[in-house]
Every structure is written in C-alpha cells, then in structure tokens.
Short mmCIF file of all heavy atoms in Angstrom, two decimals:
data_model
loop_
_atom_site.label_atom_id
_atom_site.label_comp_id
_atom_site.label_asym_id
_atom_site.label_seq_id
_atom_site.Cartn_x
_atom_site.Cartn_y
_atom_site.Cartn_z
N PHE B 121 7.14 0.78 -0.48
CA PHE B 121 6.60 1.13 -1.82
C PHE B 121 5.58 2.28 -1.70
O PHE B 121 4.82 2.30 -0.63
CB PHE B 121 5.88 -0.12 -2.36
CG PHE B 121 5.38 -0.01 -3.74
CD1 PHE B 121 6.18 -0.01 -4.81
CD2 PHE B 121 3.98 -0.02 -3.93
CE1 PHE B 121 5.66 0.17 -6.12
CE2 PHE B 121 3.42 0.08 -5.24
CZ PHE B 121 4.34 0.14 -6.33
N ALA B 122 5.44 2.99 -2.76
CA ALA B 122 4.40 4.03 -2.84
C ALA B 122 3.60 3.78 -4.13
O ALA B 122 4.19 3.64 -5.20
CB ALA B 122 4.89 5.41 -2.79
N TYR B 123 2.30 3.60 -4.05
CA TYR B 123 1.46 3.31 -5.23
C TYR B 123 1.44 4.53 -6.12
O TYR B 123 1.02 5.63 -5.60
CB TYR B 123 0.06 3.07 -4.74
CG TYR B 123 -0.07 1.79 -3.88
CD1 TYR B 123 -0.25 1.95 -2.51
CD2 TYR B 123 -0.05 0.47 -4.38
CE1 TYR B 123 -0.34 0.77 -1.64
CE2 TYR B 123 -0.15 -0.56 -3.64
CZ TYR B 123 -0.39 -0.44 -2.23
OH TYR B 123 -0.44 -1.58 -1.37
N PRO B 124 1.84 4.46 -7.33
CA PRO B 124 1.77 5.54 -8.26
C PRO B 124 0.44 6.12 -8.42
O PRO B 124 -0.59 5.39 -8.59
CB PRO B 124 2.35 4.96 -9.58
CG PRO B 124 3.16 3.83 -9.22
CD PRO B 124 2.48 3.24 -8.00
N SER B 125 0.28 7.51 -8.14
CA SER B 125 -0.94 8.07 -8.25
C SER B 125 -1.99 7.58 -7.26
O SER B 125 -3.21 7.89 -7.39
CB SER B 125 -1.56 8.14 -9.62
OG SER B 125 -0.68 8.73 -10.52
N GLY B 126 -1.57 6.75 -6.35
CA GLY B 126 -2.42 6.24 -5.33
C GLY B 126 -3.23 5.03 -5.73
O GLY B 126 -3.99 4.58 -4.96
N GLY B 127 -3.13 4.51 -6.90
CA GLY B 127 -3.94 3.40 -7.39
C GLY B 127 -3.54 2.10 -6.82
O GLY B 127 -2.37 1.70 -6.93
N PHE B 128 -4.46 1.29 -6.33
CA PHE B 128 -4.24 -0.05 -5.77
C PHE B 128 -5.44 -0.71 -5.78
O PHE B 128 -6.59 -0.23 -5.80
CB PHE B 128 -3.53 0.11 -4.39
CG PHE B 128 -4.47 0.51 -3.32
CD1 PHE B 128 -5.17 -0.39 -2.55
CD2 PHE B 128 -4.64 1.90 -3.16
CE1 PHE B 128 -6.04 0.05 -1.45
CE2 PHE B 128 -5.47 2.32 -2.09
CZ PHE B 128 -6.15 1.40 -1.31
N ASP B 129 -5.37 -2.10 -5.70
CA ASP B 129 -6.50 -2.88 -5.34
C ASP B 129 -6.05 -4.09 -4.44
O ASP B 129 -4.79 -4.24 -4.16
CB ASP B 129 -7.23 -3.38 -6.55
CG ASP B 129 -6.33 -4.07 -7.58
OD1 ASP B 129 -5.33 -4.72 -7.21
OD2 ASP B 129 -6.55 -3.99 -8.81
N GLN B 130 -6.99 -5.01 -4.07
CA GLN B 130 -6.55 -6.08 -3.09
C GLN B 130 -5.54 -6.97 -3.83
O GLN B 130 -4.64 -7.45 -3.10
CB GLN B 130 -7.89 -6.84 -2.74
CG GLN B 130 -7.57 -7.95 -1.62
CD GLN B 130 -7.05 -7.29 -0.45
OE1 GLN B 130 -7.70 -6.36 0.10
NE2 GLN B 130 -6.01 -7.87 0.08
N ALA B 131 -5.66 -7.39 -5.02
CA ALA B 131 -4.73 -8.17 -5.79
C ALA B 131 -3.29 -7.63 -5.64
O ALA B 131 -2.31 -8.42 -5.53
CB ALA B 131 -5.24 -8.53 -7.16
N VAL B 132 -3.24 -6.44 -5.92
CA VAL B 132 -1.93 -5.76 -5.87
C VAL B 132 -1.35 -5.74 -4.44
O VAL B 132 -0.19 -6.17 -4.23
CB VAL B 132 -2.02 -4.34 -6.45
CG1 VAL B 132 -0.60 -3.59 -6.18
CG2 VAL B 132 -2.29 -4.33 -7.87
N VAL B 133 -2.12 -5.49 -3.44
CA VAL B 133 -1.75 -5.52 -2.00
C VAL B 133 -1.21 -6.96 -1.67
O VAL B 133 -0.20 -7.01 -1.06
CB VAL B 133 -2.85 -5.06 -1.12
CG1 VAL B 133 -2.58 -5.30 0.29
CG2 VAL B 133 -3.29 -3.63 -1.38
N ASP B 134 -2.00 -7.91 -2.10
CA ASP B 134 -1.60 -9.25 -1.91
C ASP B 134 -0.39 -9.63 -2.45
O ASP B 134 0.53 -10.34 -1.95
CB ASP B 134 -2.75 -10.29 -2.32
CG ASP B 134 -3.98 -10.15 -1.53
OD1 ASP B 134 -3.90 -9.62 -0.44
OD2 ASP B 134 -5.01 -10.56 -1.97
N GLY B 135 -0.16 -9.15 -3.79
CA GLY B 135 1.13 -9.36 -4.43
C GLY B 135 2.34 -8.79 -3.78
O GLY B 135 3.41 -9.33 -3.73
N LEU B 136 2.07 -7.57 -3.22
CA LEU B 136 3.24 -6.90 -2.56
C LEU B 136 3.63 -7.71 -1.33
O LEU B 136 4.83 -7.85 -1.00
CB LEU B 136 2.82 -5.47 -2.24
CG LEU B 136 2.67 -4.44 -3.25
CD1 LEU B 136 2.25 -3.08 -2.71
CD2 LEU B 136 3.95 -4.30 -4.15
N ALA B 137 2.63 -8.13 -0.65
CA ALA B 137 2.85 -8.99 0.60
C ALA B 137 3.79 -10.25 0.22
O ALA B 137 4.70 -10.53 0.88
CB ALA B 137 1.70 -9.34 1.38
N GLN B 138 3.37 -10.87 -0.84
CA GLN B 138 4.05 -12.07 -1.33
C GLN B 138 5.51 -11.79 -1.70
O GLN B 138 6.42 -12.71 -1.62
CB GLN B 138 3.26 -12.80 -2.52
CG GLN B 138 1.93 -13.32 -2.02
CD GLN B 138 1.09 -13.77 -3.25
OE1 GLN B 138 1.62 -14.24 -4.22
NE2 GLN B 138 -0.17 -13.56 -3.09
N ASP B 139 5.62 -10.58 -2.27
CA ASP B 139 7.05 -10.19 -2.76
C ASP B 139 7.96 -9.60 -1.71
O ASP B 139 9.05 -9.05 -1.90
CB ASP B 139 6.96 -9.24 -3.87
CG ASP B 139 6.32 -9.92 -5.10
OD1 ASP B 139 6.54 -11.16 -5.15
OD2 ASP B 139 5.63 -9.34 -5.95
N GLY B 140 7.42 -9.52 -0.41
CA GLY B 140 8.36 -9.14 0.66
C GLY B 140 8.23 -7.66 1.08
O GLY B 140 8.99 -7.26 1.92
N PHE B 141 7.25 -6.94 0.52
CA PHE B 141 7.13 -5.56 0.89
C PHE B 141 6.37 -5.50 2.28
O PHE B 141 5.57 -6.23 2.52
CB PHE B 141 6.32 -4.66 -0.15
CG PHE B 141 7.10 -4.44 -1.45
CD1 PHE B 141 7.02 -5.30 -2.49
CD2 PHE B 141 7.87 -3.29 -1.47
CE1 PHE B 141 7.81 -5.01 -3.65
CE2 PHE B 141 8.58 -3.09 -2.64
CZ PHE B 141 8.63 -3.84 -3.70
N GLU B 142 6.84 -4.57 3.12
CA GLU B 142 6.44 -4.48 4.46
C GLU B 142 5.52 -3.22 4.73
O GLU B 142 4.74 -3.21 5.50
CB GLU B 142 7.54 -4.49 5.55
CG GLU B 142 8.30 -5.93 5.40
CD GLU B 142 9.46 -5.89 6.41
OE1 GLU B 142 9.56 -4.98 7.29
OE2 GLU B 142 10.38 -6.78 6.33
N LEU B 143 5.78 -2.24 3.97
CA LEU B 143 5.04 -0.93 4.06
C LEU B 143 4.70 -0.46 2.55
O LEU B 143 5.53 -0.54 1.74
CB LEU B 143 5.80 0.17 4.77
CG LEU B 143 6.25 0.00 6.23
CD1 LEU B 143 7.04 1.18 6.62
CD2 LEU B 143 5.01 -0.18 7.10
N ALA B 144 3.43 0.01 2.42
CA ALA B 144 3.11 0.54 1.10
C ALA B 144 2.14 1.79 1.42
O ALA B 144 1.32 1.67 2.40
CB ALA B 144 2.43 -0.38 0.22
N PHE B 145 2.29 2.82 0.64
CA PHE B 145 1.73 4.14 0.89
C PHE B 145 0.72 4.47 -0.09
O PHE B 145 1.08 4.50 -1.34
CB PHE B 145 2.75 5.34 1.13
CG PHE B 145 3.72 5.11 2.26
CD1 PHE B 145 4.80 4.27 2.19
CD2 PHE B 145 3.45 5.70 3.46
CE1 PHE B 145 5.54 4.04 3.26
CE2 PHE B 145 4.25 5.47 4.61
CZ PHE B 145 5.30 4.68 4.41
N THR B 146 -0.46 4.80 0.26
CA THR B 146 -1.59 5.18 -0.65
C THR B 146 -1.60 6.72 -0.75
O THR B 146 -0.69 7.35 -0.28
CB THR B 146 -2.96 4.73 -0.18
OG1 THR B 146 -3.41 5.51 0.95
CG2 THR B 146 -2.91 3.32 0.21
N THR B 147 -2.55 7.27 -1.41
CA THR B 147 -2.77 8.72 -1.39
C THR B 147 -4.15 8.96 -0.82
O THR B 147 -4.68 10.02 -0.89
CB THR B 147 -2.73 9.34 -2.81
OG1 THR B 147 -3.79 8.72 -3.71
CG2 THR B 147 -1.35 9.21 -3.42
N VAL B 148 -4.65 7.98 -0.04
CA VAL B 148 -5.92 8.26 0.67
C VAL B 148 -5.65 9.08 1.82
O VAL B 148 -4.69 8.87 2.59
CB VAL B 148 -6.48 6.85 1.15
CG1 VAL B 148 -7.86 7.09 2.02
CG2 VAL B 148 -6.87 5.93 0.04
N ARG B 149 -6.40 10.16 1.98
CA ARG B 149 -6.07 11.25 2.98
C ARG B 149 -6.40 10.70 4.41
O ARG B 149 -7.43 10.03 4.58
CB ARG B 149 -6.99 12.42 2.72
CG ARG B 149 -6.71 13.60 3.71
CD ARG B 149 -7.43 14.86 3.39
NE ARG B 149 -6.90 15.32 2.14
CZ ARG B 149 -5.85 16.28 2.09
NH1 ARG B 149 -5.19 16.53 3.26
NH2 ARG B 149 -5.52 16.71 0.96
N GLY B 150 -5.47 10.99 5.28
CA GLY B 150 -5.73 10.62 6.64
C GLY B 150 -4.46 10.18 7.34
O GLY B 150 -3.43 10.05 6.77
N LEU B 151 -4.63 9.92 8.70
CA LEU B 151 -3.58 9.50 9.51
C LEU B 151 -3.68 7.93 9.74
O LEU B 151 -4.71 7.38 9.38
CB LEU B 151 -3.55 10.18 10.87
CG LEU B 151 -3.54 11.75 10.86
CD1 LEU B 151 -3.41 12.30 12.22
CD2 LEU B 151 -2.35 12.14 9.94
N ASN B 152 -2.73 7.36 10.41
CA ASN B 152 -2.62 5.91 10.67
C ASN B 152 -2.55 5.66 12.21
O ASN B 152 -1.57 6.01 12.68
CB ASN B 152 -1.49 5.35 9.87
CG ASN B 152 -1.59 5.56 8.39
OD1 ASN B 152 -2.31 5.05 7.72
ND2 ASN B 152 -0.71 6.52 7.88
N ASP B 153 -3.49 4.96 12.61
CA ASP B 153 -3.32 4.40 13.99
C ASP B 153 -2.64 3.06 13.90
O ASP B 153 -3.16 2.09 13.39
CB ASP B 153 -4.76 4.19 14.64
CG ASP B 153 -4.68 3.71 16.11
OD1 ASP B 153 -3.54 3.07 16.50
OD2 ASP B 153 -5.69 3.86 16.77
N LEU B 154 -1.35 3.07 14.18
CA LEU B 154 -0.43 1.93 14.01
C LEU B 154 -0.88 0.69 14.83
O LEU B 154 -0.35 -0.41 14.41
CB LEU B 154 0.97 2.25 14.29
CG LEU B 154 1.58 3.45 13.41
CD1 LEU B 154 3.04 3.67 13.67
CD2 LEU B 154 1.38 3.09 11.93
#
C-alpha cells in the first residue's frame, strides 16, 4: 500500500496490519535500514 499524499497516523497503520498489509510506503524522505 502507498499512503495517498503521504498521510498516515498510528490508527491507520494498525488497521493496515490487521487487514493483512505487509508493506506500506510513506512520502517521508529517506532510506530504509531493513
């Protein structure tokens, strides 16, 4: 999933996890140390 316009909050993140999403992309600038 990619958050539209980068908007997200903790409740949405928790909801995605409950609905089986495994990866979600913000628009926060930077790299990811996996």
Side-chain angles (χ1 to χ4, degrees):
F121 182 72
Y123 300 101
S125 300
F128 70 95
D129 57 28
Q130 185 61 51
V132 171
V133 172
D134 293 342
L136 291 181
Q138 294 171 33
D139 294 333
F141 285 93
E142 297 177 9
L143 298 176
F145 296 83
T146 72
T147 57
V148 178
R149 181 175 293 276
L151 306 187
N152 302 286
D153 183 337
L154 297 183

